[in-house]
Amino acid sequence: MIRCDQTVAWTALQGHFEGHGRELDLREAFARDPARFEAFALQAPEVFADLSKNLWDLATRKLLLELARECALEDRRDAMFAGAPINTTEGRAVLHTALRAPRGFGPFSHEVHGVLDALLNYAEGIRDTTASGIRDVVNIGIGGSDLGPQMVVPALDAFAHPGLRFHFVSNVDGHDITPVLRKLKPAETLFIIASKTFTTQETMANAAVAREWFLAQGMAEADIARHFVGATTNLNAATAFGIHTTFGFWDWVGGRYSLWSAIGLPIALAVGSDHFRALLAGAHAMDRHFATAPLEANLPVQLGLLDVWYRNFHRFTSRSVAPYHQGLKRLPAYLQQLEMESNGKCVDFDGQPLTFGTSPVVWGEPGTNGQHAYFQMLHQGTDVIPVEFIAVKHPTHAHADLHAKALANCLAQAQALMRGKTTEAAAAEKAPTASPTLDARTVARHRSFPGNRPSSMLLLDQLNPRSLGALIAMYEHRVFTSGAVWGINSFDQWGVELGKALASDLLPRLVPGDQHGATTGLDASTAGLLRRLTA
Ligand code: F6P
C-alpha cells in the first residue's frame, strides 16, 4: 500500500498549496466565479452540503481526488463493505454497514435481522407502558456503548414516547449514577447494561451499584430478570451477572460504530420500531451513496479529503462543529469519539511512524449558544479553525419565529467568518460601547475581523430518524476516507489501554489506611498526589 506522503498527488498538493492554496481568498474566489456555490454544492441522501466557503478551488479538489485514488480509497472502501478483515491489528472485519442493510442484503443478514426483530419486539413490549409498568430507562455504558444512544435519543425527541424518561450513566465517578438513582422507583425502572465486552470497569462498577440499589429498595433477585437487560457480544458474562434478557452483536461491530446494533436499544425504546428502522434506512442510503457515487460527487469522500487538506497542508489542528438544532447538542461529543478514537493514530498500517498529522481535535456546542462563548475566538483569534455548521430547514416545533432566528444566526456566522471587516469599515461605524477616551483608529483595529475563515454548511430538510441516520453514516464514512488516505487503522483503539492498566495498578494503593508500599515504584508527582489523597 502506498503511503499518502509518497504519492505523486501529495507532492503536487504541496506545490499547489505553496503556489495558490495558502493565499486563497474566499471573497476574491466568489467574486471571480459566480458559479462557485454550485461548483462546491453536493446533494447526498438527506444531506445537502455547501462546501464553497472552504479554502480550496477546483484544482485543489482535483488533486485531492487524485490522492484518494492513488491511496486506493475505493479498494479499501469495497474491502470494508465486503467484510475483509481491514481492522488488521485485531484481525477483524468492519461491518457496521451490515447492521443497516435491508433483510437479505449484505453479510450476516440472517443474524443481524434475527437480533433486530427480537430487539424491536422487546422494545415495543416495554413501550406499552401500561402493560410493562416501565417509566424510566437507565442506560449504563460508556464510550460507544453510551455516546450514540445518548446523542440520538434527544435528537429524536419529537418522535419519542411521551411516557418514558431516559437516563444515561457512563462515568465511574459516583456523582453520575447517584442523582439518577435518587429519581427512580425500582418497579418502574429498566436498566440496560450496554457493553460490547461486558468487562469495562466503569460499566461493570455502575451495573453492580444499580443492582445493589435495586435489591436494597425491596425488590427480589427474581425481579432482576424483568428490570435488567443486556446489550453485548459477551452473552456468557451477561448471564453470569444475572441478566436473562440479552441482545447480542458481533466483534465486527466497533464500539463507536455500534448504535445500529443492540447498543441502540435505548433509541428503539424511545422512538419505536418504525422510526428505528427509518434510522437504519437513512444510514443505508448513505452507505449506498458512499459505495457507489463517483468520488467527484461523493459527500463523505469530499469531507474526508477536505480534512486531509486542512490538517496536512494548512496544518489546522482542530475543527469546530456547530449544529443549529438543540437536539444535536451531544453530536460534538459523539463525533469526538468517532473521529478522534478512530484517527488519533501516529503509526501507519505497518506500524511505521507517521511524519504528518492525523485526527484534528473535534469540538463544539450547539448554535446559538456557542456564539456567546467561543465564537469570539473563531472570528478574531490567532488560529484559523474550520467550522462545520448544521442547519435544519423545517423544525419539529411550532415556533416559526424562533426557527427563523436560529437559521439567520447560522447563515450569518458563516458569512461573518468569511467576510470579516476591514479596519476602514470598522472606523466608519459608530461604536456606542467603545471607550470615548481611546483614539478612533485603535478602536477600529479592535473591532476589525480578518475574515477569510472557512466553513462548511450541512443542510437537512428536517431532523428525523431517516435524516439523522444518513448524517451519522456520512460522518462514519468521512472518518473512513481520511483514515484510508493517511494509511492508518481507523478501527482499533490501543491508545486507551495504558491508562486502564495504570489505573488497575493504582486502585489498591488508594485503599485508605493501608499505606504499606503505596508509592513504591511511582514517579514523584504521582506519589505526592497519592499521599495527599490518602492522608
Ligand atoms: O474507550 C475504549 C472503548 O473500548 C471504546 O472503544 C468503547 O466504545 C468503550 O471502551 C466501551 O467498551 P464496551 O462497550 O466494551 O464496554
Side-chain angles (χ1 to χ4, degrees), residues 7-27:
T7 58
V8 176
W10 188 273
T11 309
L13 279 160
Q14 253 157 357
H16 173 70
F17 179 71
E18 298 302 335
H20 317 276
R22 193 201 303 277
E23 299 305 326
L24 187 136
D25 188 292
L26 287 169
R27 296 152 294 197

Side-chain angles (χ1 to χ4, degrees), residues 4 37 92 113 274 299 308 345 351 518 528 534:
C4 60
F37 171 75
R92 289 177 182 166
H113 283 273
D274 291 350
L299 181 55
V308 171
K345 311 283 162 69
T534 52

Side-chain angles (χ1 to χ4, degrees), residues 169-185:
V169 170
S170 54
N171 200 333
V172 78
D173 177 9
H175 297 101
D176 198 1
I177 197 165
T178 304
V180 172
L181 293 179
R182 206 182 290 136
K183 293 185 202 107
L184 302 175
K185 293 188 186 135

Side-chain angles (χ1 to χ4, degrees), residues 502-503 505-512 514-535:
L502 293 179
D505 170 60
L506 288 174
L507 183 57
R509 302 178 193 241
L510 274 156
V511 176
D514 178 10
Q515 292 310 294
H516 183 67
T519 58
T520 312
L522 296 181
D523 61 88
S525 166
T526 310
L529 293 168
L530 203 69
R531 274 195 297 271
R532 286 187 79 91
L533 285 167
T534 52

Side-chain angles (χ1 to χ4, degrees), residues 142-145 195-197 200 255 337 341 493 496:
I142 195 164
S145 300
S195 175
K196 179 175 170 179
T197 55
T200 302
Q337 189 199 18
E341 197 171 76
Q493 54 284 320
V496 302

